[in-house]
């Protein structure tokens, strides 16, 4: 029997999603399409009768803005939002800012797929010579974290995303779910994939095949032990969702960037 419902949402399309660049911890706003995706998501969830009690986001604007737009479209702007760096996107290290398709041309599609989708392989570390290093680590939001700024990641595998996310999940998110609250997590592709891996017990190999398009809510129905009682459900027009999944998967293919 289903006791709890949880919705995971990868934020709406960001400016660098549109440009097919590794965005990661660089703070990007939503694109026009991303704004539309978030509003459409909110309308869909309202039509399906969702009433959220609490929303969790990362510290990144695209995650927060998506949550705002979803709640606005639902007429639930009053619902509390809790933010944490532990829900941030995966830290892509030295790859941040680079175009995925150009990287596939230079290094091969398989190498880029490993960087993007593998479970326990990290990209090269970011260092102070990187053009976005100071923008990230001088950002005031990271002075609010529960770890010193010098202990924040410089690159992460998906495993390391799950490692930094799990303490927050167990200490902060799980107790709210167990109170019977309906929770929305407005996160990122990899923070949501990490949660799915944990809840569904997805293998290290199979997680590479889990793709979440932007702006598509994922419904999970959980039992009293927070184990799924049925497969995850991506809500919305299924043909459009499959097309969006293919678009995400094609981002790492070798083609000339425009």
């Amino acid at each position: 029997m289903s006791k709890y419902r949880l919705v995971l949402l990868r934020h709406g399309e960001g400016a660098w999603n549109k440009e097919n660049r590794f965005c990661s911890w660089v703070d990007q706003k939503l694109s026009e399409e991303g704004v539309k995706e978030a509003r459409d998501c909110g309308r869909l969830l309202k039509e399906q009768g969702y009433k959220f009690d609490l929303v969790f986001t990362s510290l990144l604007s695209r995650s927060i803005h998506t949550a705002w737009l979803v709640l606005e479209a639902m007429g639930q702007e009053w619902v509390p939002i809790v933010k944490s760096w532990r829900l941030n996107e995966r830290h892509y290290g030295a790859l941040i800012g680079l175009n995925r398709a150009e990287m596939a041309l230079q290094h091969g599609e398989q190498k880029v797929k490993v960087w993007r989708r593998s479970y326990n392989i990290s990209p090269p570390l970011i260092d102070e010579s990187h053009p976005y290093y100071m923008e990230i680590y001088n950002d005031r939001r990271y002075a609010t974290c529960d770890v010193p700024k010098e202990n924040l990641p410089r690159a992460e595998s998906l495993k390391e995303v799950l490692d930094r996310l799990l303490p927050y999940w167990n200490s902060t998110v799980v107790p709210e779910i167990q109170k019977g609250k309906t929770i929305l997590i407005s996160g990122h592709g990899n923070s949501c994939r990490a949660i799915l891996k944990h809840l569904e017990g997805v293998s290290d190999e199979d997680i590479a095949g889990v793709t979440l398009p932007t702006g598509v809510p994922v419904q999970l129905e959980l039992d009293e032990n927070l184990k799924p009682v049925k497969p995850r459900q991506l809500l919305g027009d299924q043909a459009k969702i499959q097309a969006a999944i293919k678009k995400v998967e094609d981002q790492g293919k070798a083609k000339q960037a425009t």
Side-chain angles (χ1 to χ4, degrees):
M1 289 287 293
S2 172
K3 184 167 184 180
Y4 306 116
R5 274 203 308 181
L6 170 69
V7 175
L8 304 179
L9 176 62
R10 182 185 177 190
H11 60 79
E13 181 189 73
W16 279 14
N17 294 127
K18 188 173 182 178
E19 296 175 14
N20 200 15
R21 298 165 73 184
F22 287 101
C23 186
S24 187
W25 284 32
V26 174
D27 199 45
Q28 291 288 312
K29 305 298 184 184
L30 296 179
S31 66
E32 287 185 17
E33 179 62 22
V35 170
K36 180 179 182 301
E37 287 175 348
R39 288 176 172 152
D40 287 348
C41 175
R43 285 190 282 268
L44 174 67
L45 291 169
K46 182 178 181 180
E47 289 169 5
Q48 299 215 357
Y50 269 91
K51 293 179 173 62
F52 291 113
D53 300 301
L54 187 60
V55 179
F56 292 96
T57 75
S58 74
L59 292 185
L60 295 161
S61 295
R62 57 195 188 273
S63 161
I64 299 165
H65 196 192
T66 295
W68 290 348
L69 292 168
V70 167
L71 292 176
E72 181 182 44
M74 298 179 76
Q76 297 180 32
E77 295 95 328
W78 60 272
V79 172
I81 298 176
V82 180
K83 308 174 184 74
S84 173
W85 76 275
R86 292 184 180 273
L87 290 170
N88 270 22
E89 176 58 299
R90 175 182 172 189
H91 196 307
Y92 273 107
L95 302 181
I96 290 174
L98 299 177
N99 181 282
R100 296 183 186 92
E102 290 176 351
M103 294 295 288
L105 278 172
Q106 293 174 27
H107 300 282
E109 292 180 6
Q110 185 57 37
K111 184 69 171 177
V112 173
K113 184 175 182 179
V114 167
W115 281 334
R116 292 181 69 205
R117 309 310 293 273
S118 65
Y119 180 58
N120 55 12
I121 296 176
S122 300
L125 297 176
I126 195 171
D127 61 30
E128 293 185 11
S129 67
H130 191 281
Y132 291 99
Y133 181 91
M134 298 306 291
E135 179 175 331
I136 294 170
Y137 294 102
N138 278 353
D139 194 313
R140 191 166 64 93
R141 78 191 71 198
Y142 295 116
T144 70
C145 297
D146 58 355
V147 298
K149 194 180 290 188
E150 57 268 22
N151 291 345
L152 291 171
R154 296 298 189 264
E156 292 176 304
S157 64
L158 184 61
K159 180 182 184 301
E160 289 166 320
V161 174
L162 183 55
D163 288 345
R164 53 105 153 149
L165 195 157
L166 268 182
Y168 184 74
W169 170 262
N170 289 323
S171 69
T172 306
V173 181
V174 166
E176 299 296 341
I177 295 174
Q178 290 175 331
K179 290 175 187 174
K181 293 184 178 180
T182 303
I183 303 294
L184 169 66
I185 296 179
S186 175
H188 303 264
N190 285 297
S191 54
C192 289
R193 288 173 69 233
I195 293 170
L196 285 175
K197 187 180 193 309
H198 173 65
L199 289 177
E200 297 180 335
V202 182
S203 71
D204 296 359
E205 294 74 29
D206 289 347
I207 194 63
V210 175
T211 300
L212 300 178
T214 55
V216 175
V218 181
Q219 176 181 281
L220 294 170
E221 295 192 32
L222 309 172
D223 66 16
E224 60 184 7
N225 298 312
L226 301 189
K227 299 297 184 185
V229 298
K230 58 177 67 174
R232 77 182 88 104
Q233 184 180 1
L234 276 65
L235 304 178
D237 183 305
Q238 295 303 306
K240 289 182 179 178
I241 290 170
Q242 290 305 312
I245 288 173
K246 185 177 186 303
K247 181 180 177 182
V248 174
E249 291 174 344
D250 286 348
Q251 287 175 335
K253 293 187 176 178
K255 55 188 176 185
Q256 295 289 346
T258 56

